[in-house]
Each structure stands twice: as structure tokens, then as C-alpha cells.
Amino acid sequence: MILLLSSKLMNIKYALSVSLTYQSTEPVSNFESSTHVPSLFIGIFFGSMLVMAIYNLLLYFSLKDKMYLFYVGIVLFNILTILAIHGISGEFFWSNNPELDRTIYITFAGISMFFSSRFAALYLDLKNRHKSLNKFMWGLAILSVLLSISSLLLSDKFVIPFGRWLVLLSFPSYIIVAAYAHKKGFKAAKYYLIAWIPYAIGLIIRTMHGADWLPTNQFVLSSIEIGGALEIVLLSLALAYRIKEIQEENSQMRNQLQNYISQVLSLEEKIDSSAKSDENLPEQKIAKIAQKHSLTERETDILLQIVLGLKNQQIADKLFISINTVKYHTRNIYEKLDVQKRTEITSRILFDN
């Protein structure tokens, strides 16, 4: 989930930091020389990313939750973005056109940002909890796709400012949306926010370095990778919490279903028992209730007709009395049986011993 954001910013911010912080459109090769990260750091970073991608893919096969599939897409395109930023993809995938790395990283970054937006929406359950925020996330996702498309068709003069604007819009949006979801009672959003912290710190460090506020050293140059690696660890805790939450919800649903089935079976047994036992025939049951609640003979007659489903006028016609007399005795029956409506009388007939 956070890698998703990591992917987004580590994509565009780390890559666009070339133009965000250095304000240039210099080749990626020049950027590489000023931000070179030793192969050990890159190896650890990519290794962690691949492990988490495989882990989440297995979770997807187990839980069938699209959230994990989006996460895998984020990780894969994040890796492609970083490879392009460091000029590695040009050496292995398009060696005949290594200059492609200068623009393709934005394409990959946009795709990763799309997955990031959809992942955040799914993780925070915005579709069910906050429909307007879900639409907003869809807006960011569409803009991310437009960024990828524009990187293939338009010049850097347009694409870089567009990417910079999109990063500045989406970066605080993810945090604000998650904070709002947490405020509204979605506990899992807390882990989403916590996982953002190390990456956000790394991003701030790189931005301050780009503004010449920090010296150049290995820690500063690797701050985003370090923050991303820590983010992966925290994200694993967030996913574990989500799995636990899903299991608890499933367990609660199973218990509720079992209780419901037990109640239905118990009700069926009572109904079967009342149908098979002479003592529980409506006439005999009514006689017992009449005796228990001191019903008069006329009230007992009317109660029997009510149980048989007759309406006031029908009862009056059958017993050769006025409808007002029926209503009068009916009110007395309600008071003596302590019921409010006719459906409650049926329940009393079945279950009042």
C-alpha cells in the first residue's frame, strides 16, 4: 500500500527530482553521476521490492483481493522506473537506444502512480466508506495515465511540469485521505500513515539536498531507497493487520450465520412440536391462554377468530355482533395479553405456555 505511494513518488519524485530540485532537463546520465547509489543499496532495494511483490502475489491467490494485485503492479513498475532513472534498463532492454531512459521513466512512473491511486482507494475502502474520495482517487489515477501517455507523445517541456504538479497534488492527498479515513474509524489507515513516514523523510532529505541545503554523502543520496526499504517493512505490518482484520470479519460472519441457523432450526422445532401436539392446537392453546389471562367467553371467541385470520367485520358477521363490540373486546384482549398488534397474538398462541 505504502509501496504504492513509494512507487509513485519514488517514481516521479525521485525521477522528477531531476527537474524538481535541479530544475533542468539534463540527460538521465548526468543525473546518475550526481546521485549515484552503490549497487549494494540498489540490490537490497530491488531484492526487498521483489520479495514483497512475490509475497503479495501469494496473498492475492489466497485471499482473492484485488488490492494485492495492484500492489504487485506498483512494485513492478516502480522497479522499471528506478532502473530507467539509473540508466540500467537502457543497458539491458533497449541497448540500441539507451537515450530512451531519459523519458521512459516518466511513462513507468505514471503507470505506477495509477496503481498507487487505485491501491490506496481499495486499502482505505473508499468505495464503501467515502464515495466522493473514491472519485477523487479515480481522478488522480486518470491523470497518472495521461502523464504516461503524454510522456510518449509530448516534449519534456510539457511533461516535466505536468509530472511535478501531479506529484505535488497527489503526495499530500494520500496522507490527507488516509488521515480522514482514520478519523472516521477505519483503523487500518493508521498503518498506511505510519508507513509513509520513513519515505516522506527520505523524500524531504533528497529535496533539501537538491536545494543545496544538505551536503552530498551516501546517506543523503540513498535516503529515498532507505526510506522505501523501511516503508516495505512497515507495509508488511499493515498488510498483516489487514489480513487479521479480514479473518476476524469472516469469523464474525460465520458466527452470525451459525446463530441465525440455530434460531431458525429452533423455531422450526417449536412449530413442528406445536403442530404435532394436541395440547398445542390453536383451540386448546387459546383455551389455556383465556384461562391464564382471565378472558371472558366472548373475548375467547373473538381471539379464536383473530388467530384464524379474520378481520373485524368478518368476525362481527360470523358471531352476529356489531363491529364496535368486536373492537371493544379486541382492545380488552390486547390489554390482557399485553400485545400491541394482531401479529403478536399469533406469537403468543405459539409460544405462551
Side-chain angles (χ1 to χ4, degrees):
M1 150 184 118
I2 303 295
L3 230 204
L4 152 107
L5 299 177
S6 178
S7 117
K8 156 193 170 36
L9 284 173
M10 198 173 292
N11 283 328
I12 234 183
K13 184 80 176 179
Y14 185 70
L16 288 181
S17 61
V18 180
S19 26
L20 277 169
T21 59
Y22 292 94
Q23 299 183 0
S24 72
T25 56
E26 59 184 333
V28 172
S29 57
N30 293 348
F31 176 60
E32 296 167 22
S33 62
S34 62
T35 61
H36 174 67
V37 179
S39 58
L40 176 62
F41 281 95
I42 293 195
I44 293 174
F45 177 75
F46 286 156
S48 301
M49 300 270 277
L50 288 174
V51 167
M52 288 305 301
I54 295 172
Y55 170 65
N56 282 274
L57 187 60
L58 294 175
L59 286 177
Y60 168 74
F61 288 130
S62 175
L63 301 175
K64 303 301 181 183
D65 191 327
K66 289 191 298 183
M67 173 180 61
Y68 299 101
L69 207 55
F70 279 123
Y71 182 94
V72 173
I74 291 165
V75 173
L76 293 179
F77 280 98
N78 191 41
I79 291 175
L80 290 174
T81 301
I82 301 302
L83 287 174
I85 289 172
H86 290 283
I88 300 174
S89 56
E91 298 178 13
F92 293 95
F93 302 123
W94 36 78
S95 56
N96 293 333
N97 188 19
E99 292 298 310
L100 184 61
D101 280 347
R102 295 178 56 183
T103 56
I104 199 67
Y105 75 89
I106 300 180
T107 307
F108 293 149
I111 297 174
S112 180
M113 291 171 67
F114 167 81
F115 283 121
S116 297
S117 299
R118 297 315 308 146
F119 178 89
L122 286 174
Y123 185 91
L124 298 173
D125 197 22
L126 298 181
K127 183 177 181 181
N128 297 320
R129 296 173 178 271
H130 311 288
K131 296 185 183 298
S132 58
L133 292 178
N134 185 56
K135 292 180 181 179
F136 175 72
M137 285 296 183
W138 265 116
L140 292 180
I142 293 172
L143 289 174
S144 300
V145 173
L146 291 177
L147 175 65
S148 294
I149 295 174
S150 63
S151 69
L152 300 174
L153 303 176
L154 305 175
S155 66
D156 292 350
K157 192 174 182 180
F158 169 81
V159 174
I160 294 296
F162 179 30
R164 179 188 304 136
W165 171 82
L166 185 56
V167 168
L168 294 176
L169 171 65
S170 55
F171 178 77
S173 296
Y174 283 107
I175 297 177
I176 294 172
V177 169
Y180 180 79
H182 182 262
K183 181 180 179 181
K184 291 298 182 178
F186 189 62
K187 296 180 180 179
K190 172 176 62 177
Y191 296 94
Y192 186 96
L193 290 168
I194 293 175
W196 256 106
I197 294 174
Y199 184 77
I201 293 174
L203 189 62
I204 292 172
I205 291 174
R206 282 297 287 114
T207 302
M208 293 175 67
H209 174 261
D212 293 328
W213 295 347
L214 293 175
T216 299
N217 56 54
Q218 196 54 63
F219 173 78
V220 170
L221 296 179
S222 307
S223 59
I224 290 183
E225 281 83 356
I226 294 173
L230 292 174
E231 186 179 37
I232 290 172
V233 175
L234 294 174
L235 179 59
S236 67
L237 297 177
L239 293 175
Y241 180 87
R242 181 67 184 271
I243 293 172
K244 179 182 177 182
E245 190 177 59
I246 292 174
Q247 290 175 340
E248 290 177 349
E249 290 175 356
N250 291 338
S251 177
Q252 185 177 9
M253 291 177 62
R254 284 195 299 268
N255 291 336
Q256 291 176 347
L257 181 59
Q258 290 175 355
N259 291 336
Y260 175 75
I261 293 174
S262 297
Q263 292 175 1
V264 171
L265 293 175
S266 176
L267 181 59
E268 288 180 348
E269 289 177 0
K270 290 183 178 181
I271 294 174
D272 290 341
S273 176
S274 64
K276 293 177 182 178
S277 174
D278 290 340
E279 182 180 334
N280 289 327
L281 289 174
E283 293 84 354
Q284 297 186 9
K285 191 70 173 177
I286 287 173
K288 289 183 62 178
I289 291 176
Q291 183 179 5
K292 179 179 178 180
H293 295 280
S294 302
L295 299 183
T296 66
E297 183 178 351
R298 179 59 75 187
E299 289 170 350
T300 303
D301 292 339
I302 292 176
L303 176 60
L304 176 60
Q305 304 310 314
I306 291 175
V307 171
L308 293 177
L310 273 64
K311 297 181 180 180
N312 287 346
Q313 187 60 57
Q314 293 173 321
I315 295 173
D317 295 340
K318 187 173 182 179
L319 298 181
F320 302 102
I321 57 178
S322 70
I323 190 171
N324 289 332
T325 301
V326 173
K327 292 179 179 179
Y328 171 76
H329 288 300
T330 300
R331 283 195 296 270
N332 291 340
I333 292 171
Y334 283 7
E335 291 178 1
K336 292 180 179 181
L337 298 185
D338 191 24
V339 298
Q340 301 296 326
K341 51 187 177 181
R342 295 195 176 206
T343 54
E344 295 181 21
I345 293 178
T346 303
S347 300
R348 179 62 60 85
I349 298 301
L350 287 175
F351 304 113
D352 192 350
N353 295 318

